[in-house]
Amino acid sequence: MRYISTRGAAPALGFEDVLLTGLATDGGLYVPESLPHFSLEEIRSWRGLPYSELAFNVMYPFVEDAIPAADFRTMLEETYEVFAHDAVAPLVQLNSNEWVLELFRGPTLAFKDFALQLLGRLLDYVLEKRKQHVVIMGATSGDTGSAAIEGCRRCKHVDIFILHPHERVSEVQRRQMTTVTGDNIHNIAVRGNFDDCQRMVKASFNDQSFLGGKTQLAAVNSINWARIMAQIVYYFHASLALGGPDRSMAFSVPTGNFGDIFAGYLARQMGLPISQLVIATNRNDILHRFMSGNRYEQHQLEHTLTPSMDIMVSSNFERLLFDLYGRDGAAVKSLLEEAQTGPVSIDDYRWKHVRKLFDSDAVSDEATCDTIREIYERNEYLLDPHTAIGVRAARNCRRDQSVPMITLGTAHPAKFPDAIRQSGVTVEPALPKHMHDLFEREERYTVLNDDIHAVHGFMLEHWKHA
Ligand SMILES: *Cc1c(COP(=O)(O)O)cnc(C)c1O
């Protein structure tokens, strides 16, 4: 399988190189040149498989040039064994034909573990083979950082530097990053917001000369193709559990960078019957404004109760645009360059086309809290605020009551106790057993100014020169 850039002017790469690369050299994102397609019969034959075997069937076509089947199977078994539920991604029913897919049973209690537990293993496998070292540099508004650190802490060939906005992530989120021990793990708290962190990471990727040619940077944010790939699997898993592929499904996805929902779009392209995808956003609603009014325009970043969705521009949306423009990289490039300077619209027929599958909704903090409270009162089930946005949007956008509506449960409620409290629910969401001593563990992080030279200096001092 070859991978090509969404901006059409970078070399095609194989899986190993795509895994180790961030952005393509033309500024685009890598996507598979063509997707595998599964027949209904084939998908049906996967019913009842353990999660890791299903994962093998869905993902192997993407990696087969780089990894022998037996090695990939072992890697997947190890990856999904660490999840604290035998079903890995269990479904919980809220109402008739309405479900939450719990994706927060991994080590850091958010769906990002699905991809990052695998990514760490993939990286070490490929680096071992190539006798190479990489430095992972990433910015996080919370969940990515801890999942990346957990995913990479046993990696022999990786140093990881995670930047988070100082005092702008929840205490649980911070502790999940800063209490993991390992001499290859480095946490930096930046005096600034998430976008300041993100800007420094982007600039570092664009000019890696500060590393002196001794190592290279690798990305773990959702521009990394391997993350998207791993997220395709649970759409198949949920569908098969509820009678798919013999009936179609609707999914509602709490959305920030558009990675998770893009994986759902790919599952559909690969043959899984999906009739509706709901983009659920908070007040940072660029995608909702685009979907409802064909106007793509950046607004100021707002801080909400759902920090993992506080994002001004969703980078993976470019991957959808690439398909929408008939895979014309030059057209995507000019559209996104224009969007840098002001609002843009796309051709009406393309916009209508994208709306056949996608709906959207933007949910306020108040409505988020209302939903947490309503569901708790009705179901005695606690939603985290991100998942609550998904449930709210699912209800607002639902097209067909006879089609199962599945909201992706993206985080465990114990990660966001403040939002739960604010919603008026009086029970405290308890941390799962494997984390009960989180608040006693020792933390390790360094606070730095929003200054790229300070960050680079720290990195040079701290990565273990391989
Ligand atoms: C990352 C994250 C999201 C957003 O996912 P994207 O793939 O960036 O759209 C939503 N909810 C939670 C809890 C997250 O951690």
Side-chain angles (χ1 to χ4, degrees):
M1 170 106 42
R2 306 287 291 167
Y3 294 84
I4 57 173
S5 165
T6 51
R7 299 203 185 177
L13 300 178
F15 179 77
E16 284 187 19
D17 289 311
V18 160
L19 181 72
L20 298 172
T21 316
L23 285 180
T25 50
D26 59 3
L29 306 182
Y30 276 102
V31 290
E33 196 164 42
S34 63
L35 288 172
H37 192 276
F38 306 118
S39 68
L40 293 181
E41 198 182 346
E42 194 171 7
I43 297 170
R44 200 178 291 123
S45 76
W46 299 341
R47 217 173 260 164
L49 285 184
Y51 192 90
S52 63
E53 282 178 43
L54 177 66
F56 179 86
N57 290 336
V58 172
M59 285 192 272
Y60 196 59
F62 295 111
V63 306
E64 64 189 349
D65 300 338
I67 307 175
D71 291 356
F72 193 52
R73 275 210 170 84
T74 308
M75 210 183 292
L76 291 171
E77 275 162 23
E78 288 171 7
T79 297
Y80 296 109
E81 217 170 61
V82 302
F83 282 65
H85 194 294
D86 290 340
V88 182
L91 282 156
V92 166
Q93 186 160 17
L94 293 184
N95 203 331
S96 49
N97 253 350
E98 191 191 23
W99 308 80
V100 170
L101 180 65
E102 293 189 339
L103 300 175
F104 47 76
R105 303 302 191 114
T108 71
L109 312 182
F111 81 87
K112 292 185 172 75
D113 289 326
F114 275 83
L116 285 162
Q117 282 294 316
L118 178 61
L119 187 65
R121 289 171 170 87
L122 283 167
L123 280 172
D124 231 30
Y125 182 90
V126 167
L127 292 167
E128 171 77 33
K129 188 160 103 181
R130 295 184 163 199
K131 303 284 172 251
Q132 238 176 290
H133 175 272
V134 296
V135 167
I136 285 174
M137 186 180 185
T140 188
S141 51
D143 297 328
T144 308
S146 52
I149 287 169
E150 273 291 341
C152 295
R153 71 194 174 110
R154 285 187 203 83
C155 293
K156 290 205 287 277
H157 307 283
V158 177
D159 271 274
I160 177 163
F161 291 84
I162 296 294
L163 282 57
H164 71 265
H166 187 41
E167 294 175 339
R168 291 227 166 99
V169 300
S170 80
E171 185 171 4
V172 174
Q173 286 180 313
R174 188 190 72 236
R175 286 182 165 275
Q176 282 185 320
M177 295 191 276
T178 58
T179 59
V180 179
T181 49
D183 60 358
N184 64 336
I185 294 165
H186 317 278
N187 279 287
I188 302 174
V190 174
R191 295 192 182 93
N193 62 29
F194 171 70
D195 286 291
D196 298 326
C197 298
Q198 182 89 305
R199 201 171 343 96
M200 288 196 279
V201 171
K202 275 196 183 139
S204 306
F205 272 87
N206 286 340
D207 179 3
Q208 303 192 16
S209 56
F210 72 99
L211 293 168
K214 294 197 196 87
T215 184
Q216 69 175 92
L217 293 183
V220 290
N221 53 6
S222 55
I223 64 174
N224 191 311
W225 161 256
R227 278 190 56 184
I228 307 284
M229 171 183 88
Q231 290 166 194
I232 299 170
V233 178
Y234 44 69
Y235 288 89
F236 282 88
H237 168 83
S239 167
L240 284 161
L242 296 177
D246 296 306
R247 60 203 294 221
S248 77
M249 304 284 150
F251 289 90
S252 175
V253 186
T255 293
N257 248 328
F258 205 74
D260 213 4
I261 194 164
F262 184 70
Y265 163 81
L266 292 177
R268 182 171 184 272
Q269 300 298 96
M270 289 160 68
L272 187 70
I274 294 177
S275 54
Q276 184 187 13
L277 288 170
V278 178
I279 304 167
T281 76
N282 61 23
R283 264 178 305 131
N284 297 291
D285 60 349
I286 181 169
L287 292 174
H288 174 59
R289 284 181 279 115
F290 171 73
M291 293 303 300
S292 52
N294 190 8
R295 194 180 153 89
Y296 189 77
E297 181 183 22
Q298 296 186 24
H299 285 180
Q300 274 296 317
L301 186 78
E302 307 235 16
H303 292 287
T304 71
L305 289 176
T306 43
S308 300
M309 293 157 65
D310 286 347
I311 275 162
M312 265 182 352
V313 178
S314 309
S315 38
N316 282 293
F317 193 56
E318 174 163 350
R319 287 183 157 123
L320 183 68
L321 286 174
F322 185 57
D323 276 7
L324 207 54
Y325 274 81
R327 312 206 112 198
D328 176 350
V332 171
K333 180 173 178 337
S334 73
L335 181 78
L336 289 169
E337 281 173 359
E338 206 188 319
Q340 292 286 324
T341 58
V344 291
S345 299
I346 66 171
D347 307 308
D348 194 55
Y349 74 94
R350 295 192 208 276
W351 182 66
K352 288 197 170 117
H353 179 73
V354 77
R355 285 173 43 114
K356 278 190 205 149
L357 177 63
F358 289 94
D359 286 290
S360 68
D361 195 16
V363 179
S364 67
D365 278 354
E366 195 187 353
T368 305
C369 285
D370 289 348
T371 308
I372 293 172
R373 199 178 50 251
E374 278 163 30
I375 298 289
Y376 186 72
E377 280 168 5
R378 189 81 195 143
N379 299 75
E380 275 187 59
Y381 184 70
L382 259 185
L383 296 171
D384 104 284
H386 303 80
T387 310
I389 285 183
V391 168
R392 181 74 163 216
R395 290 182 173 184
N396 288 347
C397 297
R398 192 138 184 209
R399 291 180 189 172
D400 184 344
Q401 298 292 326
S402 71
V403 172
M405 172 58 87
I406 303 159
T407 295
L408 302 200
T410 51
H412 191 288
K415 280 191 109 159
F416 301 97
D418 292 343
I420 308 287
R421 226 167 285 135
Q422 220 167 302
S423 74
V425 171
T426 50
V427 293
E428 280 278 324
L431 283 167
K433 248 193 286 181
H434 63 94
M435 297 206 116
H436 69 278
D437 62 342
L438 185 67
F439 285 84
E440 282 102 67
R441 293 181 205 161
E442 191 189 336
E443 289 191 85
R444 266 200 347 193
Y445 65 102
T446 305
V447 183
L448 294 177
N449 285 336
D450 176 15
D451 170 7
I452 195 161
H453 300 296
V455 170
H456 287 174
F458 179 85
M459 291 174 71
L460 285 177
E461 215 172 294
H462 287 87
W463 71 276
K464 47 174 195 311
H465 299 253

